[in-house]
Amino acid sequence: MAVSRSAVKATTAGARQGNTLSTFVWEGKDKRGIVLKGEEQARSVNLLRAELRKRGISPGVVKIKPKPLFGASGKPIKPKDIAVFSRQLATMMKSGVPLVQGLEIIGNGQKNPRMQQMVETIRVDIENGSSVHEALSKHPVQFDELFRNLVKAGESAGVLETVLATVANYKEKTESLKGKIKKALFYPIAVIAVAIVVSAILLIFVIPTFEEVFQGFGADLPAFTKMVVAISRFTVSWWWAILGVILVGLFGGMYIYRRSTAIQHGLDRLILRLPVIGQIMHNSAIARFARTTAVSFRAGVPLVEALDSVAGATGNTVYEKAVHRIRDDVAVGYPVNMAMKQVNLFPHMVVQMTAIGEEAGALDEMLMKVAEFYEEEVDNAVDALASLLEPFIIVFIGAIVGAMVVAMYLPIFKIAATI
């Protein structure tokens, strides 16, 4: 019997629609007459009603959950969300909960619609026969190459729950380290931002008032006062152009930085040479390299393949290129410690501990100790930097404000001296 092409398309579309899960809200009564309410996913209203009746609930209202007017798509999925997801899934698998059921429980517990939808997609893919690695590969933004390689190695070795717990620890440590680096860089940026805001307020609102008073005096103003008044006039007249230049420079610089590897490499190299902050960035990159390599090696990822994933996790293009060179050297037979020594970026202690780990067959343990040491170094350096910058912040802002105040009061002192 011939079947038309349109009928086949309609049947296929209906099948796809039937396999799509939607979120419903329902209200019904149990056998005692108590009103119950809930929210869950199902393929259709009729299937959900049938499921509720099996549970002894007489469904009254069953309808698709309305989407919120604002923020319907939910918040972006952050690395911290992925760390929590890994921890939850590892805990459930260790407790004996089946993988698909564990994903269902985790998905239903998500408050972020994007995260809930992603977990549900992963669950459906695994339920349809995909491996965990294949299901995660469909979300490369949230699960990077390192994460996927670790999961793949864990699946192959039959220790997925152990690998997921290790990945959760790694993600938590990495995010903690990133937070410390952001904290170290925040202070200088905050000082500059506060100085700009305070200067703008004085130049636009305060100094013009003093200028009107000075014009009433009719006296010749000091050179320093004239300079500040001229800057104030320029700022009041061209504030929109100044603001535009700042915004264009900021967003344009970010745009160019993201798309130019040469600029990224040059800026990263410059940051590494800065006093105090440069050393913090060095220690941070070494800590990330050591922890990522240790986690990958411990999970059973081949060393050359692990180093390929580690390069992007260092957070600095200078170290990223160095790790790629280490990978190439290791691929042709060099020991890791010798390859690290050749790039001339890693301290002698790190190279020696790596050599000891290789000789003892405990490379992952030694690198983990290196990571812990340098993470502590970063933590201490960030605290020291905060304490060091606090007096400089006060002096810097005080100098700007004080200079403008002195410029405004110089004419008054000059007039008072002539009386």
Side-chain angles (χ1 to χ4, degrees):
M1 182 178 181
V3 181
S4 66
R5 182 175 298 178
S6 59
V8 172
K9 289 183 177 178
T11 305
T12 305
R16 287 178 180 173
Q17 187 176 2
N19 289 330
T20 303
L21 292 174
S22 301
T23 303
F24 295 89
V25 289
W26 58 266
E27 181 177 332
K29 294 182 180 180
D30 64 5
K31 296 178 180 179
R32 299 168 296 174
I34 299 175
V35 177
L36 300 175
K37 297 180 180 180
E39 174 186 321
E40 57 188 282
Q41 293 182 327
R43 289 184 171 83
S44 67
V45 174
N46 293 332
L47 289 175
L48 180 55
R49 286 182 177 274
E51 178 63 27
L52 291 173
R53 290 191 185 98
K54 288 180 182 179
R55 302 178 195 170
I57 300 172
S58 299
V61 178
V62 179
K63 60 182 181 180
I64 292 180
K65 181 181 179 181
K67 295 182 178 180
L69 184 61
F70 300 102
S73 59
K75 299 179 182 178
I77 299 173
K78 299 179 179 179
K80 188 179 292 185
D81 299 326
I82 301 301
V84 173
F85 166 78
S86 303
R87 176 75 63 196
Q88 289 175 332
L89 188 58
T91 301
M92 289 192 177
M93 291 184 68
K94 286 185 177 180
S95 301
V97 179
L99 179 60
V100 173
Q101 186 178 352
L103 287 168
E104 184 178 3
I105 294 170
I106 294 171
N108 291 335
Q110 298 294 329
K111 295 181 180 179
N112 185 353
R114 287 188 182 181
M115 187 70 184
Q116 186 179 33
Q117 183 179 4
M118 185 188 72
V119 174
E120 181 59 27
T121 303
I122 293 171
R123 186 192 70 80
V124 171
D125 287 340
I126 294 174
E127 195 173 27
N128 291 335
S130 298
S131 65
V132 180
H133 169 258
E134 292 171 344
L136 298 182
S137 297
K138 295 181 180 180
H139 309 276
V141 176
Q142 290 77 25
F143 301 98
D144 55 21
E145 184 182 1
L146 175 65
F147 194 110
R148 300 194 302 269
N149 286 343
L150 293 174
V151 169
K152 185 178 180 180
E155 279 188 295
S156 302
V159 289
L160 181 59
E161 65 276 7
T162 304
V163 170
L164 285 172
T166 304
V167 170
N169 288 331
Y170 165 74
K171 284 284 184 182
E172 289 164 359
K173 291 286 185 180
T174 303
E175 289 307 306
S176 175
L177 187 61
K178 286 181 181 178
K180 293 169 187 175
I181 300 304
K182 289 178 181 178
K183 182 181 177 182
L185 298 177
F186 173 77
Y187 280 99
I189 296 173
V191 172
I192 295 172
V194 170
I196 291 173
V197 171
V198 171
S199 301
I201 292 173
L202 291 174
L203 291 171
I204 295 174
F205 299 104
V206 178
I207 292 177
T209 304
F210 276 88
E211 185 183 1
E212 293 176 0
V213 176
F214 297 153
Q215 289 175 351
F217 291 162
D220 188 29
L221 299 177
F224 185 51
T225 304
K226 288 181 179 179
M227 181 185 71
V228 174
V229 170
I231 295 173
S232 175
R233 289 175 181 173
F234 179 82
T235 305
V236 171
S237 300
W238 298 94
W239 65 267
W240 52 271
I242 297 171
L243 182 61
V245 169
I246 292 174
L247 292 178
V248 169
L250 181 64
F251 290 104
M254 291 174 61
Y255 179 85
I256 295 172
Y257 175 80
R258 289 176 179 175
R259 284 161 178 78
S260 174
T261 55
I263 291 178
Q264 290 177 14
H265 185 74
L267 186 59
D268 285 348
R269 183 176 292 277
L270 176 63
I271 291 174
L272 290 175
R273 292 177 179 177
L274 292 176
V276 185
I277 292 178
Q279 189 59 48
I280 292 175
M281 299 304 292
H282 269 295
N283 293 343
S284 169
I286 293 170
R288 289 182 183 182
F289 165 81
R291 182 170 291 279
T292 309
T293 307
V295 169
S296 302
F297 194 68
R298 183 175 292 178
V301 180
L303 187 56
V304 175
E305 186 178 341
L307 288 171
D308 198 22
S309 303
V310 168
T314 57
N316 188 286
T317 56
V318 176
Y319 275 88
E320 184 176 350
K321 288 187 176 182
V323 175
H324 280 307
R325 181 179 169 185
I326 293 171
R327 177 204 60 192
D328 295 339
D329 290 344
V330 171
V332 297
Y334 284 98
V336 180
N337 69 91
M338 185 179 294
M340 290 171 63
K341 191 175 182 179
Q342 297 302 315
V343 299
N344 200 27
L345 274 176
F346 296 91
H348 180 71
M349 183 196 77
V350 178
V351 176
Q352 289 302 311
M353 290 188 71
T354 304
I356 295 170
E358 284 186 289
E359 292 176 4
L363 180 60
D364 55 336
E365 294 181 11
M366 297 303 289
L367 286 176
M368 197 64 75
K369 291 179 181 178
V370 169
E372 291 171 356
F373 173 79
Y374 278 95
E375 285 168 356
E376 188 175 354
E377 286 288 303
V378 170
D379 197 8
N380 295 334
V382 169
D383 292 338
L385 180 64
S387 302
L388 180 66
L389 283 179
E390 284 176 1
F392 280 100
I393 292 173
I394 297 172
V395 171
F396 183 69
I397 297 177
I400 293 176
V401 175
M404 293 188 184
V405 170
V406 168
M408 294 302 99
Y409 278 94
L410 274 177
I412 299 175
F413 295 151
K414 184 177 179 181
I415 295 172
T418 57
I419 296 176

